[in-house]
Amino acid sequence: MVVGEFTTEVDLLIIGGGPGGYVAAIRAAQLGKKVTLVERDKLGGVCLNVGCIPSKALIAAAHRYEDVKKLDEIGIQAGDVRVDFAKVQTWKQGVVDKLTGGVASLMKANKVEVIKGEALFANDREARVINGYEANRYRFNQCIIATGSRPIELKDLPFGGRVISSTEALSLQEIPRRLLVIGGGYIGIELGTVFAKFGTQVTVLEGTESILPTFEKEVLRLVERRLKKLNVTVVTSAMAKGVEETADGVTVTASVKGEEQRYEADYVLVTVGRRPNTEDLGLDMAGVRTEKGLIQVDKQGRTSVGHIFAVGDVVPGPALAHKASYEGKVAAEAAAGEASEVDYRVIPAVVFSDPEIAVVGLSESEAKEKGLDVVTGRFPFAANGRALSLTDAEGFVKLVADKSSGELLGAQIVGPEASDLIAEAALAIEMGATLEDVALTIHAHPTLGEVMMEAAEVGLGRPVHIAPR
């Protein structure tokens, strides 16, 4: 029985407190809007609590564990190195709690009212927020939907027990002896690499002909080689068909290139994509139009109902936290009457694999498919002093530019700190910079960032630290 229902008038109602919702709340408050934010779980959403942040914490821990084991290569004897995984998890949770606590403080500092509960539209001006046995109505002038997404569940491998999603994988209290990963996308490869470094026997089943199928082969080659060194078994063209519990784990049946195979593991991690959280919002009651579960919006994030906006994983485009935050700012500014609109000239994408992959803009093949005449510049980390001194010199930076104007069109990085280095390329493309602009920018020495400058010089045909092609 639900009790205590009453109606409250609010100005801007935001549904969802993830990187799209809480950023929108802050920007709207900065612009003078009175904001009420509804979150059913924890502020920070999937990204801060069970996604981006905890996964990167575990990745960092796995990297450091591996680095310590290899210290003898540079003359440092570290002795017997062991992992207290429960303590690793405690540390990881501390990182998460610090950040989610920071979001709560930001809500308070910006005078954003935060309400715990699950929102359901009653009509295009009202939403019912349910929290346990309490339900209250909120009548709003404007609304921003930022409810995010969740892992896709396979019909033949339903979540439960030892069949887990990334959420449960990030909270395991022991290191599995055997882990079967269904899906070779970025989540599967990232988490599979983490556990492989901690000593788990990892097998990845990917339905297509390649892991990370949206990336170019020359980029993937280094990641595939590294997975092999970590004794990760990658099986492509493999479709999981069913699962059964065993005395000490699970057995998965899969079709591999038309033949049935069986795989045993302690856990099965299913990472085949994410689904937008839109079906339980009562969008039809509000008149908000969707297509294949995604809310259709214009360049300001407006839905088919002019005073209701949507951002992040619930709208078309890649499900990326930084995209959600960007859209949240635009929607908040539009709600405040500003002329802001999204400009997706480039959206960088990063895979925290080993080595890291980061891309932005067009690849060489994509540019050629568009009929563009391009020039490329590629420079290896093996010729970079900082990378060599870090004992991490695998990979390269590749820049793609228009041949006649030299304007930068895209960049692909595979190697150390690719996730940080890609920002320079993204800014260069946004500003219409040319290869010459990048090459003439003085980069500090010795740094990994010099590789960007060196790649630009290769593209211009005047490389300094590698032999000319």
Side-chain angles (χ1 to χ4, degrees), residues 280-317:
D280 296 326
L281 288 172
L283 295 176
D284 54 337
M285 299 294 290
V288 174
R289 187 169 65 86
T290 63
E291 188 173 316
K292 295 181 179 179
L294 293 170
I295 299 173
Q296 303 303 296
V297 294
D298 66 9
K299 289 187 176 182
Q300 290 194 309
R302 292 183 192 271
T303 69
S304 53
V305 180
H307 57 275
I308 299 178
F309 300 76
V311 302
D313 293 4
V314 297
V315 304

Side-chain angles (χ1 to χ4, degrees), residues 111-133:
K111 296 181 173 58
V112 174
E113 180 185 16
V114 178
I115 297 169
K116 177 93 170 171
E118 194 158 353
L120 178 70
F121 285 103
N123 53 59
D124 70 339
R125 287 291 181 181
E126 289 184 317
R128 198 171 185 229
V129 178
I130 302 170
N131 184 18
Y133 292 105

